[in-house]
Amino acid sequence: MDGKGSPMTSAQHTTPRTAVPRMAVPAYAWALALLALFALYLVAQDNGAVLASAGDLAHEFFHDARHSLGMPCH
């Protein structure tokens, strides 16, 4: 009974909602996200601007990766 003489159903009985605390994003997660974006840039967009100093092997590796992902590069 709810104190007024009428029984409460389970649909009427609600518990108060508490706010879910927001978790802080750790610094390593931000660093990992930036590294992933940089890797995506190297594979998708870089046409030798960053990889020119790394040599032909790195350029060919990323060039082949573009083709295997279906990205046009030339």
Side-chain angles (χ1 to χ4, degrees), residues 6-63:
S6 62
M8 291 181 66
T9 63
S10 62
Q12 292 172 333
H13 182 69
T14 59
T15 57
R17 291 188 179 191
T18 58
V20 177
R22 291 185 138 188
M23 294 179 58
V25 179
Y28 70 85
W30 289 111
L32 187 62
L34 288 174
L35 181 66
L37 285 173
F38 183 67
L40 182 64
Y41 165 75
L42 285 178
V43 171
Q45 297 296 322
D46 181 59
N47 287 318
V50 175
L51 296 173
S53 63
D56 288 335
L57 180 65
H59 174 76
E60 289 301 319
F61 174 75
F62 284 104
H63 181 243

